[in-house]
Amino acid sequence: MTAWLSFVAIGVLASLAGALWRVWRGPAPADRMMAAQLVGTGGVAVLILLAAVQDWAALDVAVALALLAALAAVGFVKAGTPDGAGDPEEEAPPADMQLSAMTPDAAAQVGRTRRDPDRRRGDG
Amino acid sequence: MTAALGLALDAALCALILGVALAVVAGRGVFRAVVFFIVYGLLAAVAWVRLDAVNVALAEAAIGAGLTGVLLLAAHGRLRRAEAAQDLAHGMPWSAALAGGALAAALGWAWFEMPIPVEPGPELAEALPRAGVGNPVTAVLLNFRAWDTLLESIVLLAALIGVWMLAREGDWREPLGRPQHARPGGVMAGFGRVLPPVGLLVGVWLVWAGADHPGGAFQGGTVLAAVGLVAVLAGVIRPPWIGAPLWQGALVLGPAVFLLAGIAGAVLAGGFLTLPEGFAKPAIVTIEVALTVSIAVTLAFLVLGPPEAEGAG
Amino acid sequence: MADLATLLFTALGLVFFAAGTVGLIRFPDTFSRLHALTKADNLGLGFIALGVAFQAESWAQVARIALIWVLALLAAGAVAQLVARAALMRRGGA
Amino acid sequence: MAALSIYALTGAALVGLGFFGLLAARHLLRRVVAFNLIGSGLFLYFGAAATRGAAPDPVPQALIITGIVVALAASALAVALVVAQVRAAGRATLPEEEDAP
Amino acid sequence: MSALLACLVLPLLGALAAVALPRRAVAAVLAGVVALTLVAAVGLAVAVHSGGVVRLALGGWSPPLGIALAADGLGAAFVLLTALVMAGVAAAARDEMTPQGAGPRAAFGFWPLMLLLWGALNAVFLSRDLFNLYVGIELLTLAAVALVAIGGRAEAIAAAMRYLIFALAGSLLYLAGVVLIYGAHGTLDIDLVAARDAAAPDGLALALMTAGLLVKTALFPFHVWLPPAHASAPAPASALLSALVPKASFVILLRLWFEAMPDLGTDRALLLLGVLGAAAILWGSLRALVQARLKLIVAYSTVAQLGYLFLVFPLAGGAAGAQPWTAGAWTGAIFQALSHGLAKAAMFLAAGLFMAAAGSDRLGALRGLARVMPMTAFAFALASVTLISLPPSGGFTAKYLLMTSSFAAGQWIWALVMTLGGLLTAGYLYRPMAALFAREGGEGVQTVARARQAVPLVLAGLAILLGILSAAPFDFLQIGRPEAAEEGP
């Protein structure tokens, strides 16, 4: 079984090479991102396979990788928004983003989250 | 058969790693380099598992692929306007290629010339049972070479103060990082609410398991930092400002507990950083928990960057 | 029996990964690549996870494998949606 | 041992590639990336060296974890400096390296 | 032992307190930490003087498992130098680095960074473990780069960036050597490395570590990062950076070439280090001659003065063993490092006061300042005496020792370089002195409090005192001196 699982791991790695070609080519940043995402998923798959082959502790690595891949993905998406700090689901704001230029609910969001530190200060 | 397949796996993995590294260095475009670097981190984590170093694999997955990636991505998001500027040197920089090649060749040569040392095997085998924890890497980090680890936790603090020194004068009292925003009720905001509880669990588990299984303060702290960052990026929580007392306390808690434990060792057990046998495990766990808090907060703040006012390009 | 299940599911997983990669390389535009991809790689991971779960020595390991898959699914789903949106915005703006 | 040599030589090559990148890159963010590549390659080399004996030596693993964390701290400061540099000077290169296109 | 411990722990605890405590409490804590650490440094020196080398195995684990610390004459002397300079800088910056004076950002950052730098320096001066030294110099680097960045202006940020790139490249080269050492010998302890069975990659390891440390010490031709970095930091930070930081990597170099691997010091390698040092003396001095700003003159002077340190390698190093002149050369180089540290700190602090008074450090703006600030101008002149190596300063003793050794060793070329360097030093320091002591100018400048003017004077005076009392420090520096530099029968 170990041999077979190693073989599958090699196969997944080989398919990752194809995904890497897409990261290289692009052309859109979204292409690079999605391809990188595929590499991430593939890496997690390889780690799961290695857990069975070598050491079950590798599962913890896979968990950490999956979690951090999610963070990197959010970073990806954020980096793609006009001001680098937004959310593609907001209406496209002008390049020089100001509070006044935000959609009402986005402004409300900023206003709401801004109250948080004050509340914390009250607690502490 | 299995051995041959294992070797093939290693070869394939290393080929991918080298290809990715080449793409990082040689490809035009900063965004491409950053994306390839994140991919590199993923593959390196797999390589560490192959090298029977799960503790390192955890650190690499969390720090190399995760936090460093987000750090670079966020910076790239800021710098797009400056990207028109020059990316690589013009033409082929032969002297750089020569230097890099010589260094690689020298290290490659050294690999085959390097004898396998006997030390510190015997000393280690003798001392490990007295170290208080079952995970030998944790024993080295928090007992045998605790002074390294203590200094390292302070290195993080120094870097953070350095990052803060790059704030603009007028922004000093603002919350840390750029103001993040997301559509309320949207996918990203939802993400920022679902992921943190899961991540919290994983982070705490890694610290807890670290005493006897792979894991530890740095790995767990990094995961916790990532959790906080997701929440901040998704606009769910707002980061504090410099000088918020509770947070400043969290920053120094780990190094302070570590230093004070070290001094206590000097007073009670006859040496700085000496953990009395029998008391070593609770001491290590206490230090680890405090360190985890500080590491998580410091790393999250490091990635967020200096405080910045609204609307400042 | 467990070995057979492992064999079957991991093989299926590998097929899906390969298919995802082919799609990623061959499909003509960003959007179709995106759609092909998110389905294929998560199915691939799912099958591999399932296959390996048959080899697990304890329920804790199975639970961790499940957690990994859920995390990957969650991330991939959310990200696909956001990326599609971002790509759309960029295309609309250009 | 053969497998270990693969990793060690990969590590050595990574150090060389990273060093090349550090010297050849102009964009400062690329230099930060190259620096990380060097460190990572060095650690891989070290990790392979640590696995040569009968049982893996935990000391290098601990040192590598320390090194990874230190590298992150340095990277974070470097990235913040790049951002500040762009804000202050409008470009992501060092002033003396802005050779004419 | 408790003094050694206090030297390591107090600055770090102080730094943590400076981050966590509210602003008002910080001032009191700072004063306490600075005073106590100074006392501890003196205590350590006394302990080493009376009882010989002080050793400590951290955590009760002795090498190769644990990390060993040791305070020998060399280490204790640098710890004491650091404490003196730090105390001086703290006193000088007390009124400057406040929210009112320098803004909340600099006022918050300067104090913890200064203390972290202090902790890192002491950790490096006392450590016997190669990897621990790596962590120490990384802490040092990050704190130092952050101190440059406090300057805030575009040129300071570019200088900090350049500094960081060079320093990180240097750290990685050093680390590569450490990896090779551990890979081959399974130990990182300097004494165990000294007792190792030689292995083929040892030479490569030493070369890599040395290259990395040379970059960090800003030896010619790796010096380009230093002048802009030291010139664009705030004056108290510049004083720390120029007086102390390059000495840390120099001390590691001494430990490597004289204690860990003296067997690898081939004549050619030692000669190369000496030639680079000589080139640094000449090139740094020539560059200092043509600068128009005082801080840049002082910074290029650091490049030149660091060059003298490297003459120790051809004069005292090598596997050939002890020669009658090695003790003199070895001690001379350390004297140079100590007296340069004191004098350079005084110079940068004085430059800061001139800038505060005249609003600029262009030589033209400094004309006639000596009449308004006689004390500071006198301190600057006194520091110059040490750098030019006029008797009876510490700089004179240093160069006297180095010169007699070079004649005794038959390597008179170094003496020639030193003579030339002395003349050039006099040349580049003449220009700011001529401006300061000019008869006209100096009207309408802001006055600076006397207490602040006293600090550079004290530091410059200590550099002179080092020369007058040279016999006692000479003996002190022999405590725990490595065999390779031991005097012959």
Side-chain angles (χ1 to χ4, degrees), chain A residues 2-4 6-7 9-10 13-14 16-17 20 23-25 29 32-33 36 39-40 43 46-47 50 53-55 57-58 60-61 63-65 67-72 74-90 93 95-99 102 105-106 108-110 112-118 120-121 124, chain B residues 1-2 5-6 8-9 12-13 16 20 23 26-28 31-32 35-36 38-39 42-43 45-46 49-52 54 57-58 61-62 65-67 70 73-74 76-77 80-81 178-184 186-189 191 193 195 198-199 202 205-206 214 223 226-227 229-230 233-241 247 310-311:
Chain A
T2 308
W4 166 253
S6 303
F7 174 75
I10 295 173
L13 280 179
L16 293 190
L20 288 178
V23 180
W24 175 263
R25 262 304 288 280
R32 296 193 208 280
M33 275 169 57
V39 180
V46 172
L47 283 173
L50 288 184
V53 174
Q54 278 179 258
D55 181 357
D60 281 340
V61 184
V63 174
L65 204 60
L67 205 67
L68 270 297
L71 170 66
V74 176
F76 259 139
V77 175
K78 283 257 164 188
T81 57
D83 66 341
D87 175 354
E89 286 194 319
E90 296 169 324
D96 290 306
M97 188 147 141
Q98 299 292 327
L99 252 182
M102 260 190 233
D105 57 354
Q109 168 78 7
V110 169
R112 192 189 60 72
T113 50
R114 183 168 280 169
R115 276 196 299 279
D116 283 348
D118 297 330
R120 193 158 43 232
R121 182 162 40 177
Chain B
M1 176 67 188
T2 310
L5 272 172
L9 181 59
L13 185 58
L16 276 184
V20 169
R28 296 256 157 209
F31 185 68
R32 176 151 64 182
V35 173
F36 267 113
I38 292 172
V39 171
L42 294 167
L43 296 174
V46 179
V49 171
R50 288 295 298 164
L51 285 171
D52 286 326
V54 177
L58 274 169
L67 285 194
V70 176
L73 277 172
H76 178 261
R80 256 172 309 170
R81 273 176 234 165
R178 312 193 72 196
Q180 304 286 338
H181 46 94
R183 190 171 72 85
V187 173
M188 193 181 280
F191 206 61
R193 282 174 208 287
L195 212 54
V198 182
V202 174
W205 157 251
L206 284 178
V223 168
V227 164
L229 284 170
V230 168
L233 290 180
V236 176
I237 57 170
R238 190 130 173 115
W241 63 95
W247 290 100
E310 200 85 38

Side-chain angles (χ1 to χ4, degrees), chain E residues 65-342:
Chain E
L65 215 51
I67 298 168
L69 301 179
D72 50 3
L74 171 69
F78 277 97
V79 167
L80 189 57
L81 168 75
T82 305
L84 290 171
V85 171
M86 286 281 171
V89 168
R94 208 184 51 154
D95 298 328
E96 188 184 339
M97 290 295 169
T98 57
Q100 297 77 34
R105 181 180 59 89
F108 172 87
F110 178 78
W111 298 106
L113 288 172
M114 182 191 106
L115 291 168
L116 288 174
L117 199 74
W118 196 346
L121 284 164
N122 283 352
V124 168
F125 292 143
L126 300 173
S127 179
R128 305 291 300 172
D129 184 280
L130 294 176
F131 187 81
N132 186 249
L133 285 169
Y134 166 74
V135 182
I137 51 174
E138 283 296 73
L139 180 56
L140 189 68
T141 298
L142 295 190
V145 169
L147 279 170
V148 174
I150 284 188
R153 288 186 319 261
E155 57 171 30
I157 288 169
M161 188 78 234
R162 192 180 303 107
Y163 185 2
L164 187 60
I165 290 174
F166 273 88
L168 289 181
S171 301
L172 286 171
L173 287 174
Y174 175 80
L175 187 61
V178 174
V179 165
L180 290 181
I181 294 285
Y182 189 90
H185 305 294
T187 184
L188 297 160
D189 183 75
I190 288 178
D191 298 306
L192 291 178
V193 170
R196 77 201 185 282
D197 299 321
D202 287 353
L204 177 63
L206 182 62
L208 288 170
M209 287 193 276
T210 303
L213 293 170
L214 291 185
V215 175
K216 282 185 171 272
T217 318
L219 182 66
F220 179 91
F222 307 115
H223 65 284
V224 290
W225 60 265
L226 186 144
H230 289 190
S232 56
S238 304
L240 299 176
L241 295 173
S242 235
L244 302 173
V245 174
K247 310 298 190 322
S249 36
F250 175 69
V251 167
I252 303 177
L253 277 170
L254 283 183
R255 300 231 184 268
L256 287 178
W257 285 81
F258 289 93
E259 299 177 29
M261 310 164 114
D263 49 311
L264 292 175
T266 60
D267 284 348
R268 237 184 307 170
L270 295 164
L271 184 68
L272 177 65
L273 287 171
V275 167
L276 290 179
I281 295 173
L282 299 177
W283 180 246
S285 302
L286 286 171
R287 293 292 297 162
L289 262 177
V290 298
Q291 300 303 316
R293 286 177 45 203
L294 179 60
K295 284 184 85 177
L296 273 171
I297 294 178
V298 182
Y300 271 106
S301 148
T302 298
V303 173
Q305 296 287 324
L306 290 171
Y308 290 99
L309 303 179
F310 287 84
L311 301 184
V312 71
F313 293 102
L315 287 175
Q323 305 289 343
W325 59 82
T326 46
W330 201 75
T331 318
I334 298 170
F335 254 79
Q336 163 69 10
L338 299 174
S339 59
H340 171 253
L342 292 167

